[in-house]
């Protein structure tokens, strides 16, 4: 089960900073790791290091949003294209010109387009906070942020389970301005091969079965204790949708 961890946090501690994630596409698919690593070894600018380089790389279609082709839900809510265009801060139509130029609030994610959203985040882990174990009613020190659940092993559902845990704990999600990460191409890991090989391995099946159980545990643990949970975005109804 989930490690009992209900720290008493103020709102400033319940913030997750999303780091926009991109990936560098290889000129040619590489089947062995030496071929993948050669790109960076022979060209130090292969991975963009500045925002200007990243913009140029995406314009040339050498870079794209991380896993855009095979997991579009994973980073869609970050709105990476708008981020590339400099939309980093909240807009306030009622702000005066002076206020708009002096006070800027980092853009927050109001809702998730998909509950499969799994961004990379920076969260506060220290300082430690007080945590009460319901079974023993004893109070002890605990880190502010939750641990990864080690039941999710190998490949699959590990990032999503952490983001879900943060949601249930009442975290707010903001998008880091100007900073980013870029994934360097590599061959498929053994863990992912195991995940994809459903005929010979049970990893995919086991993680898919564990995840809904994990969500039920979160609900049981945090219901009635969290005032705010980022919700899934409401999809606009199509004209031909029937009213229910």
């Amino acid at each position: 089960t989930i490690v009992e961890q209900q720290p008493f946090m103020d709102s400033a501690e319940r913030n997750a900073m999303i780091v926009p994630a991109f990936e560098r596409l290889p000129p040619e698919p590489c089947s062995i790791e030496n071929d993948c690593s050669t790109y960076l070894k022979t060209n130090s600018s292969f991975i963009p290091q500045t925002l200007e380089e990243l913009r140029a790389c995406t314009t040339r279609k050498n870079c794209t949003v991380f896993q855009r082709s095979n997991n579009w839900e994973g980073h869609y809510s970050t709105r990476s294209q708008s981020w590339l265009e400099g939309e980093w801060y909240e807009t306030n139509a009622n702000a005066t010109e002076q206020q708009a130029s002096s006070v800027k609030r980092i853009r927050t994610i109001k809702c998730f387009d998909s509950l499969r959203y799994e961004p990379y985040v920076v969260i506060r882990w220290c300082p430690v906070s007080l945590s009460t174990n319901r079974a023993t009613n004893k109070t002890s020190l605990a880190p502010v942020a939750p641990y990864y659940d080690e039941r999710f092993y190998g490949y699959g559902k590990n990032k999503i389970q952490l983001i879900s845990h943060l949601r249930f704990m009442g975290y707010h999600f903001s998008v880091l301005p100007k900073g980013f990460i870029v994934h360097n191409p590599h061959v498929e890991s053994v863990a992912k091969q195991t995940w994809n090989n459903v005929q010979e391995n049970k990893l995919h099946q086991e993680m898919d079965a564990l995840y809904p159980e994990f969500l039920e545990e979160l609900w049981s643990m945090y219901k009635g204790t969290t005032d705010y949970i980022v919700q899934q975005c409401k999809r606009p109804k199509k004209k031909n949708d029937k009213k229910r």
Side-chain angles (χ1 to χ4, degrees):
T1 59
I2 303 173
V3 174
E4 184 70 26
Q5 186 177 350
Q6 289 190 300
F8 301 95
M9 302 183 296
D10 60 37
S11 58
E13 291 176 319
R14 295 193 189 99
N15 283 313
M17 185 68 70
I18 295 169
V19 183
F22 299 84
E23 64 176 296
R24 180 60 160 89
L25 303 177
E28 296 290 340
C30 45
S31 57
I32 61 175
E33 195 58 45
N34 282 341
D35 290 344
C36 292
S37 60
T38 297
Y39 294 124
L40 188 58
K41 288 180 179 179
T42 58
N43 180 9
S44 61
S45 61
F46 180 72
I47 298 294
Q49 300 182 42
T50 66
L51 181 57
E52 290 71 21
E53 291 176 357
L54 178 63
R55 284 170 170 164
C57 189
T58 56
T59 299
R60 294 192 300 266
K61 301 187 184 304
N62 291 331
C63 292
T64 187
V65 176
F66 183 55
Q67 293 186 337
R68 182 176 184 175
S69 62
N70 62 344
N71 180 28
W72 69 268
E73 297 168 292
H75 296 269
Y76 186 79
S77 294
T78 304
R79 298 292 190 271
S80 300
Q81 184 57 46
S82 297
W83 180 90
L84 281 169
E85 295 170 0
E87 296 182 17
W88 302 320
Y89 305 103
E90 301 283 3
T91 57
N92 184 355
N94 298 322
T96 65
E97 184 175 345
Q98 182 177 0
Q99 288 175 330
S101 61
S102 60
V103 179
K104 294 182 179 180
R105 293 180 60 86
I106 296 174
R107 180 168 62 88
T108 58
I109 304 294
K110 305 297 189 301
C111 58
F112 288 2
D113 293 282
S114 167
L115 296 184
R116 289 181 53 82
Y117 187 44
E118 51 176 359
Y120 294 99
V121 295
V122 177
I123 52 180
R124 181 183 295 180
W125 194 78
C126 294
V128 292
S129 298
L130 292 177
S131 177
T132 301
N133 187 307
R134 290 181 177 179
T136 63
N137 202 30
K138 292 183 179 180
T139 300
S140 59
L141 294 176
V144 169
Y147 294 104
Y148 271 99
D149 193 313
E150 294 182 356
R151 292 175 295 174
F152 294 90
Y153 68 94
Y155 187 96
K157 298 295 193 295
N158 51 355
K159 296 199 300 294
I160 294 178
Q161 67 84 21
L162 179 66
I163 297 301
S164 293
H165 202 157
L166 295 177
R167 286 181 61 241
F168 275 85
M169 290 181 72
Y171 269 71
H172 294 256
F173 295 82
S174 304
V175 183
L176 179 67
K178 301 183 180 181
F180 59 91
I181 54 177
V182 180
H183 175 267
N184 188 50
H186 61 78
V187 297
E188 193 173 75
S189 66
V190 174
K192 188 170 184 179
Q193 291 174 14
T194 302
W195 169 267
N196 288 331
N197 187 359
V198 295
Q199 285 77 26
E200 299 181 10
N201 298 285
K202 295 184 177 180
L203 175 63
H204 203 307
Q205 178 183 348
E206 290 175 351
M207 296 301 100
D208 283 351
L210 174 60
Y211 185 63
E213 295 178 6
F214 172 78
L215 293 179
E216 290 181 4
E217 292 174 7
L218 288 177
W219 173 249
S220 178
M221 178 177 291
Y222 293 109
K223 65 180 179 181
T225 65
T226 303
D227 297 328
Y228 170 82
I229 297 178
V230 178
Q231 299 296 313
Q232 186 173 7
C233 302
K234 294 182 179 180
R235 297 181 180 180
K237 289 186 177 181
K238 296 180 180 179
K239 292 182 180 180
N240 58 351
D241 283 351
K242 293 181 179 180
K243 293 183 178 180
R244 295 182 178 180

